[in-house]
Amino acid sequence: MKISDCLKIVMTVSFMAFSLSSFAESVSDSNPPLMEVACRYEMKVTRITKPKSSITNAWFFWRTPNIIQTQDADGDHGEIWERTANGSIQYRKLYHTDKTAVEYMPTDMPTNNMSFDWFKLSGMMSKEELNTLKMIKIKRVLGRSAELRKGEINGQAVEVLWLPNENLSANIIKKDKINRMELRLIEITPLSLAVKQPIAIGDINNYRQIDAADFGDMENDPFVKKLMSAEGHHHH
Amino acid sequence: MQLFKKLNLIATSSILTIGIAHAAEPTPADWFNAGHQTVVNAKHLSRNNGHAKNVILFIGDGMGISTITASRIYDGQTKGGHGEENSLSFEKLPYLALSKTYSVDQQTPDSAPTMTAMVTGVKTIGDSLSVNQYVAHSEKDAKVIDANKLSTILEQAKQHGLSAGIVSTARITHATPAATYAHTANRDWEGDSDKLAGATVPDIASQLVDFNVNGGINVALGGGRTRFIPNTVTDPEYGVAGKRKDGRNLTVDWTTKHTNAHYVWDQAGFDAIDPNTTDHLLGLFEPSHVHYEADRVAHDKSGEPSLTQMTTKAISILKKNDNGYFLMVEGGRIDHAHHSGNAYRALTETQQFAAAVKAAIDATDPEETLIIVTADHSHVFTIGGYPQRGNPILGLTQGVGATKPDLDMLGLPYTTLNYANGTGYTGASNAQPEGSKTFSFPATAAWASGSEGHNPTSFSPATGRPTLDSAKVEDANYLQEAIIPLSSETHAAEDVAIFAGGPKAHLFHGIVEQNVIYHVMADALGFNDEEHSESDKD
């Protein structure tokens, strides 16, 4: 297996680890509404034994009380989580160039032991994880107050710079024997002032919507073909 | 003496079918007598040449013969037997043929042309629903579609005054159910928002509700709510928005258009339906496909009926028509489980499908109801190695007399069930690390986005094989190993089985083209009498 392939997997998986959780607690009604923010992050994944082989990836993060949207720096791929009035969460992968959204239906999430923790989605750390980490000191990050917390989660050494006023992770460093992953906040502004805005929900709803469960029956679909061949051919 | 002899043979036969863990191990005489009894029974089979009042067509989507065999064993093992001697309900139907599933342009077909063949009598091209092969893929022009549409057995049933119903665990607009009532050259145009710009052919959901032959479709039960409600209305169970852009709420249209009509979306609503006072029932129990049977009770938020419950309710409504009925029932998620590379869910879906067939057999008179059970296509699902009898079908292969699992030439154990391709390839994917893959990625590791199991978009070459143990491979979420890494396991091209019982069921014999299924149904229902009465006399 190539190192770049390995890092690619780690990158994908670790991004989701930062942003998502399974077996998560349900969202408490007592949580205050989260501040609407627009952020730019950079993630760097390094294989410990090959420090020069690191991969860096930048992405955007937009948060409103009930919608979280991300987008790769190239603007082509993104993800969106929408919290509905009854507490369900709709999750879609976005392919902006193809104006296509791939839906993961609520039906299938519990099947796969998936439940979304809105707090963790919104801040990239769950309350439980934060409580596991020891408060070291207060610092400043991009002009904002931040708590430096350290500890171990799931066998990984974890270091977090947490913005308590924004309920948001600024920096996260996770390290084990194989990889070091670092997420770093590059820019944060109130959403209303952000130069780069998320794709409007109305526009996304006008995309072609595909149920992920149908991929197996869409072998002749040009988008599905393109998606699979584009990524699948990396190794040929 | 004769009666005693008969009873003795029945008892012997039972020993072989009730599960050996619960009975004495058959003796050589038992095997012989049971085999003989099968021949005796065959001799007493009498052809039912009468017209069928009712036809029920069961489709196990993707239920190839290996799936039937493995499900039979799994079902038998869950009942405490060895499994191999078990029979699924439909395996007891008296007549059998094999069906050639290729389409006009595909060696290995998809569900659209295969179902079109079964319900219209005509093979067509991939992705096309009940239109002939001369229509280009994704043809937008409704006039072209109309000029080339193929009449379906459901439409003909309505024209002859019968009632008609469709039941599925997939979206009710998905290819298999859709082919019975819709005409379009793109199976994915399920809602108006799915169509290409400028397409004048109606979307599939609206074709279901606007179906106008003799009072419309009587029963439609399955999934797929979002294609029926406008984007200004939210889903009652999950709160997600509908997908229709034309503003139509087809669930409302259903109840306003039909008499004695109801729309239900959860178990409570379904249970409240009185078949005696309901003539038109639309039940849409999920925004997309309904839950896998393995997950249905544990995970469904509002509750939803099983395939068996839907089938029973449909029959109760349809049978009120003295002229009879046509009913199509699809086990739609056998196919999805296989695409995900997860044998456990494919087998448990098939088990539920067999239960639905049994419910239909129990609820109907074989003298007047033709029941057909078949598949649209197969999957690349294999049963291999030399496991001993009674070896757990989901388990590691362990040979006769062995105390440990058999080993491959790398010195590693392997499973009896595998896939020739798909998501269970053991090289690292972009979603899961090297080694065995799981339908549900472990929570303790980083969470891989996506559902429907493992949805990779890339793989790295595997280095050797993983070390397997029984606990891992018998877990419900284990993905059996696949040789060829693909983002989704594929259909397979080999023939599928047709099981049949009831009037004209004997017309199924040998290896036939898939479109023959329509012709048997039409013949049984007497639809061909007008055109072919002379040839029938020959």
Side-chain angles (χ1 to χ4, degrees), chain B residues 224-510:
Chain B
R225 277 197 299 263
T226 55
R227 262 79 180 188
F228 288 77
I229 59 178
N231 54 14
T232 51
V233 173
T234 53
D235 184 83
E237 189 172 6
Y238 299 102
V240 299
K243 292 200 191 312
R244 296 200 70 81
K245 293 178 180 170
D246 60 5
R248 289 186 71 185
N249 187 330
L250 297 177
T251 64
V252 173
D253 290 358
W254 174 273
T255 51
T256 53
K257 172 187 165 124
H258 298 118
T259 52
N260 300 326
H262 297 282
Y263 162 65
V264 295
W265 59 271
D266 63 0
Q267 183 80 53
F270 176 82
D271 291 343
I273 292 295
D274 179 358
N276 295 318
T277 57
T278 302
D279 294 328
H280 295 273
L281 177 61
L282 175 65
L284 303 171
F285 301 104
E286 282 294 328
S288 185
H289 310 297
V290 305
H291 283 87
Y292 285 111
E293 180 59 24
D295 309 305
R296 180 176 61 86
V297 175
H299 293 308
D300 187 43
K301 204 168 178 176
S302 298
E304 65 194 31
S306 67
L307 185 65
T308 301
Q309 291 172 320
M310 291 193 286
T311 302
T312 305
K313 183 83 81 178
I315 292 171
S316 298
I317 293 170
L318 298 173
K319 72 179 183 184
K320 291 181 301 182
N321 187 339
D322 290 338
N323 293 329
Y325 60 83
F326 168 78
L327 172 64
M328 191 290 300
V329 179
E330 184 201 22
R333 304 216 71 185
I334 301 167
D335 177 67
H336 296 155
H338 276 323
H339 280 308
S340 292
N342 180 233
Y344 171 77
R345 283 180 174 77
L347 303 193
T348 48
E349 285 293 303
T350 306
Q351 205 178 19
Q352 173 59 210
F353 177 74
V357 176
K358 181 177 186 309
I361 292 171
D362 292 346
T364 54
D365 178 354
E367 287 301 309
E368 63 177 21
T369 302
L370 170 62
I371 293 181
I372 301 166
V373 181
T374 188
D376 46 0
H377 54 74
S378 185
H379 273 269
V380 292
F381 178 59
T382 63
I383 308 173
Y386 295 102
Q388 61 187 330
R389 181 151 177 229
N391 199 57
I393 190 65
L394 291 167
L396 297 170
T397 299
Q398 187 166 309
V400 177
T403 55
K404 291 180 179 174
D406 297 344
L407 302 178
D408 68 6
M409 294 185 77
L410 302 173
L412 297 168
Y414 54 92
T415 53
T416 304
L417 301 180
N418 289 288
Y419 288 96
N421 62 39
T423 64
Y425 181 72
T426 57
S429 75
N430 64 309
Q432 293 187 26
E434 176 146 17
S436 300
K437 299 297 182 292
T438 66
F439 189 83
S440 169
F441 203 57
T444 49
W447 184 89
S449 67
S451 70
E452 280 300 321
H454 179 216
N455 284 306
T457 51
S458 66
F459 272 106
S460 297
T463 50
R465 289 188 55 242
T467 302
L468 304 176
D469 59 53
S470 295
K472 178 184 280 188
V473 302
E474 292 180 38
D475 186 275
N477 292 320
Y478 175 70
L479 301 189
Q480 282 66 26
E481 284 182 68
I483 301 167
I484 311 291
L486 291 180
S487 59
S488 182
E489 181 265 4
T490 72
H491 299 174
E494 77 266 13
D495 302 344
V496 296
I498 307 169
F499 304 87
K504 300 289 176 77
H506 58 274
L507 298 179
F508 288 113
H509 69 101

Side-chain angles (χ1 to χ4, degrees), chain A residues 21-23 108-115, chain B residues 299 440-441 443 447 477:
Chain A
S21 166
S22 51
F23 293 126
D108 302 310
M109 291 175 187
T111 296
N112 298 304
N113 293 326
M114 292 159 55
S115 61
Chain B
H299 293 308
S440 169
F441 203 57
W447 184 89
N477 292 320

Side-chain angles (χ1 to χ4, degrees), chain A residues 1-2 5-6 8-10 12-14 16-17 20-23 79 81 84-93 95 103-116 154 205-221 224 227-228 230-235, chain B residues 106 110-111 127 171 174 187-188 190 194 227 235-241 243 245 286-292 295 299 301 333 335-336 339 345 377 428-434 439-444 446-453 455-461 463 477 487-489 491:
Chain A
M1 181 178 172
K2 293 177 197 167
D5 294 338
C6 176
K8 190 181 169 197
I9 295 160
V10 170
T12 305
V13 169
S14 53
M16 303 318 299
L20 299 172
S21 166
S22 51
F23 293 126
E79 292 176 289
W81 295 262
T84 64
N86 66 3
S88 294
I89 294 176
Q90 183 183 27
Y91 168 61
R92 289 181 281 184
K93 282 186 178 178
Y95 298 86
E103 291 181 283
Y104 293 84
M105 304 308 293
T107 316
D108 302 310
M109 291 175 187
T111 296
N112 298 304
N113 293 326
M114 292 159 55
S115 61
F116 293 113
N154 294 332
N205 289 342
N206 279 327
Y207 284 6
R208 182 183 180 209
Q209 312 284 320
I210 296 176
D211 183 343
D214 294 332
F215 266 39
D217 289 319
M218 299 182 75
E219 69 282 357
N220 297 320
D221 182 84
V224 175
L227 183 66
M228 298 312 166
E231 301 198 39
H233 286 170
H234 278 254
H235 308 295
Chain B
Q106 299 163 311
D110 73 279
S111 297
D127 289 348
R171 291 188 299 270
H174 209 235
R187 57 176 281 174
D188 295 327
E190 296 181 46
D194 299 317
R227 262 79 180 188
D235 184 83
E237 189 172 6
Y238 299 102
V240 299
K243 292 200 191 312
K245 293 178 180 170
E286 282 294 328
S288 185
H289 310 297
V290 305
H291 283 87
Y292 285 111
D295 309 305
H299 293 308
K301 204 168 178 176
R333 304 216 71 185
D335 177 67
H336 296 155
H339 280 308
R345 283 180 174 77
H377 54 74
S429 75
N430 64 309
Q432 293 187 26
E434 176 146 17
F439 189 83
S440 169
F441 203 57
T444 49
W447 184 89
S449 67
S451 70
E452 280 300 321
N455 284 306
T457 51
S458 66
F459 272 106
S460 297
T463 50
N477 292 320
S487 59
S488 182
E489 181 265 4
H491 299 174

Side-chain angles (χ1 to χ4, degrees), chain A residues 42-59:
Chain A
E42 196 172 86
M43 184 185 294
K44 185 176 179 183
V45 179
T46 310
R47 192 141 196 195
I48 302 290
T49 52
K50 305 271 183 182
K52 290 181 181 173
S53 63
S54 66
I55 292 179
T56 303
N57 190 16
W59 48 281

